[in-house]
Amino acid sequence: MKATHPTDVAVITEGDFLKFREYFYRKTGIHFDESKRYFVDKRLVERIETTGAADFRTYFMALRFDRGSDELQHLVNAMTVNETYFFREAYQFDCMVHNMLDECVKRKPSGDRVRIWSVPSSTGEEPYSIAIYLLERWPGIDFHDVEIFSSDIDTAVLAAAQRGAYSARSVANLPAAYLEKYFAKRKDGTYAISRDLVSAVDFSRVNLTDPADCRRFRDIDIIFCRNLLIYFDDVSRRLAAEHMFESLRPGGFLCLGHSESMSRISSLFSARRFPDALVYQKPVSGDKK
């Protein structure tokens, strides 16, 4: 049997794939290796067909030189994978309310807000999980104002996060009491999150490898950046780490995914092992690393 391509309308050659991969990397910091070839080809062909381009060459020329087009953002949305659910890797949220937050507020001037940044946002499960944890499990919420920021390079998932509608699978890890308190079940079986929680999160589009995008995030106390750096190569990982380091307040914390390790990326951070989790900390001036 002859192997089939995702479609017969357009064919992505090896040369096309390499050109596109290099371009997409420069624009986003995301690197696609050969194992992602079928995925990339399929999404590229879908965008070629949607835009009505005759072939890859025509599409790619328009993508690179048509500055007024939104096609690059549509392509980014198509190429990014967003798979998450509420209370994912919850041991880090436990660490946040048991250890990290109390340590952060001890260093802060009286009345200064706690600032937490979740990146990537995906469809909102992580920042909303953070908000629920703060409301339900951190006694300090009664004494400190908190700002929650959440960012993603994909505008489609940011829009979905702000709509706040979730499948039964997405909310499966939530305690029944939280589900009843913060969600309304719809007739179609989805769950709509409280609009108060939606308004508690500041969503924005950010490319973590772009210094201009990251500049607005300063004096952050805790960053959750989980399962994003695995899509970057070494250069982009170091760049993202540097931007997060600059965004953190001295003594602030960074949480990575369970398969990620900052020790292989950058020496800027110090590892801190708490009872619930291993996290990374921006040293305070004078602290030994």
Side-chain angles (χ1 to χ4, degrees):
M1 263 180 89
K2 197 174 177 182
T4 59
H5 193 269
T7 181
D8 294 329
V9 175
V11 174
I12 310 300
T13 68
E14 179 69 17
D16 295 339
F17 172 74
L18 295 175
K19 283 181 190 175
F20 170 75
R21 181 173 71 174
E22 192 272 336
Y23 171 80
F24 197 76
Y25 171 73
R26 283 191 286 107
K27 291 293 185 180
T28 67
I30 298 171
H31 173 74
F32 293 118
D33 60 27
E34 284 291 336
S35 68
K36 299 291 193 300
R37 174 71 192 272
Y38 181 83
F39 169 84
V40 171
D41 284 11
K42 186 172 186 295
R43 295 299 189 274
L44 265 176
V45 167
E46 288 170 358
R47 292 310 308 165
I48 291 169
E49 293 177 347
T50 299
T51 59
D55 50 28
F56 172 82
R57 183 176 181 278
T58 306
Y59 173 79
F60 193 55
M61 288 286 286
L63 182 68
R64 292 173 63 197
F65 298 114
D66 187 357
R67 303 300 181 196
S69 170
D70 294 326
E71 179 54 27
L72 177 59
Q73 186 61 60
H74 291 308
L75 186 62
V76 168
N77 294 355
M79 290 290 177
T80 48
V81 178
N82 299 280
E83 180 72 22
T84 188
Y85 48 86
F86 282 87
F87 285 21
R88 184 179 186 179
E89 297 182 19
Y91 60 89
Q92 290 183 337
F93 301 141
D94 291 329
C95 186
M96 174 182 69
V97 297
H98 294 155
N99 302 105
M100 288 188 283
L101 281 171
D102 290 342
E103 190 168 313
C104 286
V105 297
K106 285 177 184 176
R107 298 183 186 273
K108 300 174 78 66
S110 178
D112 204 1
R113 290 181 173 181
V114 173
R115 295 161 66 86
I116 301 171
W117 186 19
S118 165
V119 55
S121 162
S122 187
T123 43
E125 286 90 337
E126 179 171 279
Y128 294 139
S129 293
I130 291 167
I132 292 170
Y133 250 80
L134 292 173
L135 291 168
E136 296 292 335
R137 303 188 183 185
W138 187 48
I141 196 66
D142 294 330
F143 309 102
H144 301 279
D145 289 332
V146 180
E147 290 181 300
I148 302 174
F149 304 96
S150 194
S151 308
D152 205 291
I153 198 171
D154 184 338
T155 56
V157 297
L158 288 169
Q162 291 170 298
R163 286 194 298 272
Y166 297 98
S167 67
R169 178 186 177 278
S170 214
V171 301
N173 285 355
L174 285 169
Y178 295 0
L179 191 59
E180 184 176 350
K181 185 174 182 179
Y182 295 107
F183 295 80
K185 190 171 183 180
R186 294 172 165 176
K187 290 181 180 178
D188 63 0
T190 61
Y191 291 82
I193 199 164
S194 158
R195 299 316 293 177
D196 287 340
L197 283 184
V198 174
S199 65
V201 180
D202 179 351
F203 289 100
S204 61
R205 183 201 174 277
V206 166
N207 176 353
L208 200 54
T209 64
D210 186 338
D213 281 4
C214 298
R215 203 165 288 135
R216 64 169 288 217
F217 300 96
R218 289 295 182 265
D219 294 325
I220 303 295
D221 294 291
I222 302 173
I223 298 176
F224 287 88
C225 181
R226 308 191 299 182
N227 307 309
L228 172 64
L229 301 183
I230 56 176
Y231 297 102
F232 292 171
D233 70 351
D234 290 343
V235 173
S236 294
R237 286 189 194 105
R238 282 194 297 273
L239 194 58
E242 289 167 8
H243 292 160
M244 289 188 287
F245 184 84
E246 290 300 317
S247 294
L248 281 170
R249 181 188 295 271
F253 296 99
L254 170 64
C255 299
L256 298 180
H258 71 275
S259 65
E260 299 169 307
S261 172
M262 184 54 68
S263 63
R264 295 195 292 268
I265 300 170
S266 169
S267 61
L268 290 170
F269 296 85
S270 301
R272 284 289 303 278
R273 187 173 292 280
F274 291 111
D276 293 308
L278 172 69
V279 299
Y280 300 92
Q281 186 173 30
K282 178 174 180 174
V284 178
S285 179
D287 284 359
K288 290 183 180 179
K289 286 191 66 179

